[in-house]
Amino acid sequence: MSTPKIIVYGGNGFVGCKVAEGLASAGAKVICVSRTGSKPAHLAKESWADNIEWVQGDASKPDLGLLKDCHAVVCLVGSPPVPTVGKEAYEQQVFNNGETNRAAIAAAGETGVKRVVLLGAKIPGFLSGDWLGYAKGKRMSLEAAKEFAQLSDDHRAVVIQPGGIFGKRHTAGGAEIPIDIVMRPMSMLLPSQLISVDRVAERIVNEALNKTQNPQNLTIISHSEI
């Protein structure tokens, strides 16, 4: 069996680094695309990170050549679900969470990729309106995944919809942000709302490698199913 080539958009981010590690450990050829194109500072001493191809690129303007002979595309681009002030900030949030992933998914379909895994979100009803750019963007991404799944009987789109994700985060310089100290204990009290980055990444990796072998063209995985 040939080594699967997997493109990860947003691969140097919080969830992306964990996904990249899992894919690399599984023996995949992993290409992480981000605006900086650099290996995150906190991974400087991680040997597995040397096996990742860190590429500079823009998910909103995908390099079609990079997607050639790709087994799966993983879309993890996004920004936090915070309220915005002003039209520009609102549109940026829609762009970050929606337009970027939509462009990457469309490019995957255009270049013959048959499998897409998208990181969506569990959004409470009171936050699901278009007034929140985050929610609007996530819906745009979901619609793009649905369109991809309808391209042919062979196309598969998997959308992971977790609640709040906790785990060790780092600054651009590599310093650890101690937010996990608070969120991990909270997750014991709110398991229906919070989930570890390790669990989310593991499910994404399994779906990207088609280990679950979902028969549906479109599979939406809720928080409780991860």
Side-chain angles (χ1 to χ4, degrees), residues 150-173:
Q150 294 170 357
L151 289 175
S152 79
D153 291 340
D154 295 329
H155 283 78
R156 296 289 184 272
V158 181
V159 183
I160 314 289
Q161 296 185 325
I165 304 174
F166 67 87
K168 291 184 179 181
R169 293 178 181 264
H170 298 82
T171 65

Side-chain angles (χ1 to χ4, degrees), residues 67-81:
L67 295 173
K68 184 179 179 182
D69 300 323
C70 186
H71 171 78
V73 168
V74 179
C75 297
L76 307 176
V77 181
S79 58

